[in-house]
Amino acid sequence: MKILFLNGPNLNLLGQREPDIYGRTTLADIEAMVRDQAAKSGIGIEFRQSNLEGELVTWIQEAKGKFEVIVLNAAGYTHTSVVLRDAIAAVGVPTIEIHLSNVYAREEFRHVSLIAPVCRGQIAGFGANSYVLAVEAAIIVNGGK
Ligand code: CA2
């Protein structure tokens, strides 16, 4: 199995700004944790970040036939993006929504996810471990393989 991890805007700043909310772990640290976890199950991963909505859409479209599962932290686009929702629905690659923070314990606008209805499930609130848990969720989504 191959999993495509996609990260949205500003997640490249992890570990450098707002450590009280997002912790001190960098996105590169998280990628290393995910690679370790995936390697234990013989899973291949690709890990990308973009600040551009259209680039994320293109990557979702290109995932068809190359990846079995997408794990998506759409960051702020979670709460605003019709185009990401449409791409996930159109492409049909099973997608897992993840967040570092517990978005339901934060501002009300973060309680709404436009992508949740087209995702297989959601993991939120476990910091960097949301990504590690997503590897296990991806195995479940892929039928245990
Ligand atoms: O908790 C999450 O993972 C979020 O997707 C993070 C987004 C936020 O808009 C979502 O509501 C929840 C924000 C990502 C920005 O990350 C930063 C990291 C360090 C410094 C500033 C922003």
Side-chain angles (χ1 to χ4, degrees):
M1 175 178 45
K2 284 191 76 181
I3 309 173
L4 177 61
F5 279 80
L6 295 182
N7 295 282
N10 299 310
L11 286 165
N12 54 312
L13 300 177
L14 273 181
Q16 303 164 35
R17 308 268 159 79
E18 300 193 61
D20 295 350
I21 302 175
Y22 297 113
R24 296 199 181 273
T25 309
T26 67
L27 200 58
D29 294 334
I30 294 175
E31 178 176 354
M33 288 168 69
V34 168
R35 285 197 183 280
D36 280 356
Q37 184 69 15
K40 287 179 197 161
S41 304
I43 292 168
I45 70 148
E46 177 98 19
F47 201 92
R48 302 181 193 160
Q49 187 274 333
S50 179
N51 292 327
L52 304 177
E53 194 173 29
E55 188 160 42
L56 293 164
V57 168
T58 299
W59 287 342
I60 290 167
Q61 290 179 5
E62 290 173 352
K64 187 84 188 168
K66 298 197 187 103
F67 296 92
E68 279 69 38
V69 180
I70 297 171
V71 173
L72 174 62
N73 185 348
Y77 286 141
T78 304
H79 318 296
T80 64
S81 181
V82 174
V83 300
L84 282 181
R85 178 190 175 128
D86 287 348
I88 295 163
V91 168
V93 177
T95 299
I96 298 165
E97 174 182 354
I98 65 165
H99 299 287
L100 295 154
S101 62
N102 178 358
V103 284
Y104 303 100
R106 300 181 63 193
E107 303 95 324
E108 253 183 48
F109 69 86
R110 295 186 204 275
H111 301 181
V112 176
S113 167
L114 295 195
I115 64 170
V118 295
C119 288
R120 291 291 294 271
Q122 188 188 64
I123 300 168
F126 299 100
N129 285 313
S130 291
Y131 286 74
V132 176
L133 291 167
V135 175
E136 294 310 309
I139 294 169
I140 293 166
V141 162
N142 196 43
K145 295 166 271 165

